[in-house]
Amino acid sequence: MSKKKTAVLLYDDFSNYEFSVMLSMFFQAGKPYTTFSLTKEPVKSEEGLNVVCDALVEDLNIEEFDSLVLTGCMDLEPIINEERIYSFLKQFDLPRIKIASISSTPFLLARAGLLKNKRYLAGMLKEELLKHGIPP
């Protein structure tokens, strides 16, 4: 049986610091991962690093994964209304899947409906959550 992987969703302005530390931990643990994005074009980190992801969000085969990581992001506004992200995230709403979400990205999980009846902390103002229909 092959080892299940971690899916990592990347988008423009992702935090490379959080991403690189996580990759180092995965490497040390022998944990395989796949990076996903909305485009075949490189995504640019908040620090200016361009990263070409392994796959598009539509290419996900959920059976290959046991976890998901969302790194923090300087500004979620450019992706807030991107329905392809929410379709991707909803596939991880399974009891066997572990999800790690850093900084403001719990907002994406909440908007996808994955945090209903769950307590969470997001690096966002309460007003921003309410503005987008997410109860704090």
Side-chain angles (χ1 to χ4, degrees), residues 66 91-99 118:
D66 62 5
Q91 295 178 69
F92 290 90
D93 194 14
L94 300 168
R96 67 175 182 78
I97 303 260
K98 303 291 183 213
I99 299 175
K118 295 181 181 170

Side-chain angles (χ1 to χ4, degrees), residues 13-18 44-50 74:
D13 292 330
F14 75 91
S15 173
N16 182 57
Y17 172 77
E18 295 163 359
K44 187 175 282 221
S45 75
E46 62 190 21
E47 302 86 359
L49 177 70
N50 288 310
M74 280 295 269

Side-chain angles (χ1 to χ4, degrees), residues 25-107:
M25 293 170 61
F26 285 167
F27 175 76
Q28 292 175 40
K31 177 68 174 173
Y33 65 90
T34 300
T35 55
F36 290 89
S37 69
L38 297 171
T39 176
K40 290 183 180 183
E41 299 302 314
V43 292
K44 187 175 282 221
S45 75
E46 62 190 21
E47 302 86 359
L49 177 70
N50 288 310
V51 175
V52 177
C53 290
D54 301 312
L56 296 173
V57 293
E58 291 84 7
D59 298 333
L60 175 70
N61 174 1
I62 195 66
E63 295 307 315
E64 297 177 14
F65 298 90
D66 62 5
S67 50
L68 167 68
V69 174
L70 303 174
T71 70
C73 179
M74 280 295 269
D75 183 11
L76 286 176
E77 200 63 41
I79 60 172
I80 279 178
N81 294 315
E82 184 55 66
E83 288 303 317
R84 293 168 53 215
I85 286 178
Y86 303 112
S87 295
F88 175 82
L89 294 176
K90 287 175 184 176
Q91 295 178 69
F92 290 90
D93 194 14
L94 300 168
R96 67 175 182 78
I97 303 260
K98 303 291 183 213
I99 299 175
S101 181
I102 304 167
S103 187
S104 58
T105 60
F107 170 86

